[in-house]
Amino acid sequence: MEQNVLTHLLMNNQLQLPKLLLDYYKQLDLNEEECMLLIHIHRYISDGNTFPTPDELAERMTVTTEQCARHLRHFVQKGLLSLNQSDQQDMYSEEYSLMPLWERIVQLFSQDNQTQQDNQQQMSLYTLFENEFGRPLSPIECETLGMWVDQDQHEPEIIKAALREAVISGKLNFRYIDRILFEWKKQGVKTLEQAKAFGENVRKHYKNKQTMTSHEKKPAMHLPLYNWLESSGGNGR
């Protein structure tokens, strides 16, 4: 019976501990002692004591009051803990807030999540290119694809659009795709809609020019597609 009561107490008196604190305290340059102190501060605040003293914190830890005080100052200096002052009903009081800590953790989480999404998008790009080329990409091609994303800051959807443009033109090679991306960036093309409109405009202009030339000479049976490599005399890199 006593064991069941103890189990019930343990299961129903739990502290809601943010898991992300355990995931990111190392990235915040905190050690295990500092992390545990933050957990105790969180517990005190959750229990309604918003300003636990170094003595109170030291009673629950294996560190001294002086060490707790030093850690608290360190947290405030690092912008992980804020000390708020209030003056209510002519009563001056102070309280701790862990909101700066949670905001920093959320920021780290968001950055990691964005990096993961970027990596997934980049991997999908590699897969798409390999499917279109019908073979694994060479190390140089992989490096070029990575450079388009990381160095040139092309959005994955724009790179996919340039790949489709190369497929339509029947010139499936990295030099041709690189030239398309170079021209789009030079012309300020940043969205799929802009890329589509720009491609249609240059092809229309090229078709009209070829039509005029063919009328001066003789009727042409077929008008070639716009050649991006000849748009400005070669590769722009």
Side-chain angles (χ1 to χ4, degrees):
M1 180 65 69
E2 291 182 359
Q3 185 175 359
N4 291 335
V5 173
L6 179 58
T7 301
H8 177 77
L9 288 173
L10 290 173
M11 294 298 295
N12 289 278
N13 288 274
Q14 299 180 23
L15 172 67
Q16 295 297 320
L17 177 64
K19 287 173 52 180
L20 292 179
L21 173 59
L22 299 179
D23 292 338
Y24 288 101
Y25 76 89
K26 184 178 180 180
Q27 291 190 39
L28 292 169
D29 294 326
L30 299 172
N31 58 36
E32 283 71 20
E33 182 176 290
E34 292 170 322
C35 181
M36 182 55 67
L37 179 57
L38 287 170
I39 291 174
H40 280 296
I41 295 172
H42 175 58
R43 189 269 174 86
Y44 270 112
I45 293 176
S46 299
D47 288 345
N49 182 356
T50 59
F51 192 62
T53 66
D55 286 329
E56 290 174 321
L57 292 167
E59 288 178 0
R60 294 185 175 178
M61 297 187 64
T62 58
V63 296
T64 65
T65 299
E66 290 74 16
Q67 288 173 313
C68 283
R70 185 169 62 250
H71 286 319
L72 289 171
R73 289 193 298 269
H74 183 59
F75 294 155
V76 173
Q77 291 170 356
K78 290 188 65 174
L80 302 177
L81 181 71
S82 64
L83 180 60
N84 303 324
Q85 300 176 350
S86 62
D87 209 353
Q88 298 179 351
Q89 299 179 350
D90 297 328
M91 294 288 294
Y92 174 82
S93 64
E94 294 180 321
E95 62 180 20
Y96 288 124
S97 173
L98 288 171
M99 187 57 66
L101 172 66
W102 308 143
E103 290 175 347
R104 289 282 296 279
I105 290 176
V106 168
Q107 183 181 19
L108 290 173
F109 175 78
S110 298
Q111 291 173 352
D112 285 351
N113 191 47
Q114 184 61 50
T115 299
Q116 185 177 4
Q117 290 180 3
D118 292 343
N119 291 338
Q120 290 175 349
Q121 286 183 336
Q122 191 159 331
M123 287 304 298
S124 69
L125 277 177
Y126 285 111
T127 301
L128 178 62
F129 269 72
E130 288 182 341
N131 289 339
E132 290 292 347
F133 277 74
R135 59 171 175 78
L137 299 182
S138 69
I140 294 179
E141 289 172 337
C142 290
E143 182 180 351
T144 300
L145 186 51
M147 182 179 66
W148 288 340
V149 175
D150 299 328
Q151 180 176 317
D152 297 338
Q153 298 293 306
H154 292 302
E155 293 293 334
E157 292 303 318
I158 291 295
I159 297 175
K160 291 178 183 178
L163 173 62
R164 287 194 294 270
E165 184 77 28
V167 172
I168 292 173
S169 300
K171 298 182 181 295
L172 193 57
N173 62 74
F174 269 72
R175 180 167 176 257
Y176 195 80
I177 298 170
D178 184 67
R179 185 62 199 183
I180 295 172
L181 292 171
F182 175 80
E183 286 294 327
W184 283 353
K185 188 172 184 178
K186 185 172 70 173
Q187 298 298 329
V189 174
K190 296 181 179 179
T191 67
L192 287 178
E193 291 75 14
Q194 291 174 337
K196 183 179 179 180
F198 185 79
E200 291 176 350
N201 287 335
V202 295
R203 273 191 291 273
K204 182 179 179 180
H205 175 75
Y206 182 69
K207 183 178 180 179
N208 292 337
K209 182 178 179 181
Q210 290 296 106
T211 301
M212 292 176 60
T213 302
S214 66
H215 285 330
E216 293 175 359
K217 297 180 180 179
K218 60 180 180 179
M221 298 299 295
H222 174 70
L223 295 176
L225 291 169
Y226 180 72
N227 190 340
W228 290 90
L229 288 177
E230 296 176 356
S231 61
S232 298
N235 197 316
R237 291 188 178 278

